């Protein structure tokens, strides 16, 4: 069974600075997807970034980028130029590429605080 | 595009009553919907996977007779909490996935805003 681990329950960053959130996972599959979701106080889940395991290039979405290390099963999220609106819970998630078993498996989350 | 709604956004009920939560995909057809439960300060736990026109698949430990799921159309799935008790109080979130081919990204789930259930 696949597992996702987020070892940082809480992180904080100064506005405009950079912060990295860690995520590791365990799987025996070779093809899968990894996601970072943001859950602000409204509790609406928002997709931040997605990485396909077959792609070596790290995904980037504006200020958000990932460091995907497939051999190490590591998938960290870097937030550059942090903004007050980035404060939220961040969940790392795993999904099999098998369309028939594609449920999302979430980590326990990291609460990010952004200080002005 | 890819909007998912839930209704109601919050509900308070008495112990022993049943509550129905609706999940709708507003601008796409969802062959599969997922129901999650989230306790305060915890992660999302998948309760069941709902496929249109067939019975839902429940995760281990989830009582299917207590959490009834119906996915009668490509845009609507419902979760009914039967004989609710205070321990069922939680935040329930649904997500919807489009079909394999066409439309929007087939491998992405789109989340509803959630429903807060409080059982007195």
């Amino acid at each position: 069974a696949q597992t996702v681990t987020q070892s940082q329950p809480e992180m904080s960053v100064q506005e405009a600075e950079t912060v990295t959130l860690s995520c590791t996972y365990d799987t025996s599959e070779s093809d899968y997807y990894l996601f970072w979701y943001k859950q602000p106080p409204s509790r609406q889940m928002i997709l931040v970034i997605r990485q396909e395991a077959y792609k070596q290039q790290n995904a980037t979405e504006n200020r958000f980028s990932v460091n995907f290390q497939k051999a190490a099963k590591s998938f960290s999220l870097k937030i550059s130029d942090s903004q007050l609106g980035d404060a939220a819970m961040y969940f790392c998630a795993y999904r099999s590429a098998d369309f028939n078993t594609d449920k999302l498996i979430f980590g326990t989350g990291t609460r990010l605080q952004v200080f002005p | 595009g890819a909007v998912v709604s839930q209704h109601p956004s919050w509900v308070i009920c008495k112990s022993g009553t049943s509550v129905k939560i609706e999940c709708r995909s507003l601008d796409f057809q969802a062959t599969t919907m997922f129901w999650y439960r989230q306790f305060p300060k915890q992660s999302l736990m998948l309760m069941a996977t709902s496929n249109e026109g067939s019975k839902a698949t429940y995760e281990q430990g989830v009582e299917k007779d207590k959490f009834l799921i119906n996915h009668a159309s490509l845009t609507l799935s419902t979760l009914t909490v039967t004989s609710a008790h205070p321990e069922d109080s939680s935040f329930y979130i649904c997500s919807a996935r489009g079909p394999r081919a066409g439309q929007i990204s087939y491998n992405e789930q789109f989340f509803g805003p959630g429903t807060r259930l409080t059982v007195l």
Side-chain angles (χ1 to χ4, degrees):
Chain A
Q2 295 83 15
T3 59
V4 177
T5 302
Q6 293 179 250
S7 59
Q8 306 157 315
E10 290 191 5
M11 292 284 285
S12 61
V13 63
Q14 204 84 25
E15 200 176 3
E17 296 296 310
T18 296
V19 64
T20 299
L21 307 185
S22 301
C23 173
T24 59
Y25 59 95
D26 189 29
T27 183
S28 58
E29 298 179 324
S30 59
D31 198 13
Y32 49 86
Y33 300 92
L34 295 166
F35 305 84
W36 278 98
Y37 283 91
K38 171 184 178 181
Q39 189 179 42
S42 68
R43 304 192 77 170
Q44 170 73 60
M45 295 290 284
I46 302 167
L47 176 64
V48 175
I49 199 164
R50 177 183 70 188
Q51 175 79 42
E52 291 89 342
Y54 64 85
K55 290 185 177 179
Q56 291 187 329
Q57 187 173 7
N58 290 323
T60 299
E61 288 287 343
N62 301 313
R63 298 183 294 109
F64 299 88
S65 61
V66 298
N67 184 3
F68 173 48
Q69 302 289 329
K70 191 172 184 178
K73 296 179 181 175
S74 170
F75 182 61
S76 61
L77 174 69
K78 186 172 81 171
I79 305 174
S80 304
D81 186 25
S82 297
Q83 300 176 359
L84 295 177
D86 294 334
M89 280 291 290
Y90 285 83
F91 293 99
C92 178
Y94 171 100
R95 212 214 81 182
S96 171
D98 182 349
F99 196 78
N100 294 314
T101 59
D102 67 343
K103 60 185 181 183
L104 283 168
I105 299 170
F106 287 93
T108 51
T110 297
R111 179 171 301 280
L112 178 66
Q113 292 182 305
V114 181
F115 295 103
Chain B
V3 178
V4 176
S5 70
Q6 277 184 245
H7 178 78
S9 56
W10 59 270
V11 57
I12 302 173
C13 69
K14 293 182 179 180
S15 185
T17 60
S18 295
V19 174
K20 180 185 284 187
I21 301 170
E22 294 185 348
C23 177
R24 293 182 185 273
S25 56
L26 298 184
D27 50 5
F28 67 102
Q29 293 183 325
T31 55
T32 301
M33 290 183 172
F34 302 86
W35 286 96
Y36 297 87
R37 185 173 181 177
Q38 186 180 30
F39 289 108
K41 299 185 179 181
Q42 293 190 23
S43 187
L44 280 71
M45 298 300 297
L46 181 66
M47 299 174 65
T49 301
S50 166
N51 291 299
E52 186 267 336
S54 63
K55 290 185 178 180
T57 301
Y58 290 82
E59 295 299 301
Q60 193 171 8
V62 177
E63 299 175 60
K64 59 182 178 182
D65 293 332
K66 180 167 188 62
F67 299 99
L68 300 178
I69 292 173
N70 182 280
H71 193 162
S73 79
L74 286 172
T75 59
L76 173 65
S77 176
T78 60
L79 168 67
T80 301
V81 183
T82 62
S83 187
H85 290 283
E87 57 266 30
D88 298 324
S89 298
S90 188
F91 194 68
Y92 293 87
I93 304 174
C94 75
S95 69
R97 188 193 74 198
R100 184 189 294 266
Q103 297 191 17
I104 51 179
S105 301
Y106 68 87
N107 57 355
E108 184 169 337
Q109 291 184 27
F110 298 93
F111 287 84
T115 296
R116 182 178 301 282
L117 170 63
T118 301
V119 185
L120 302 177

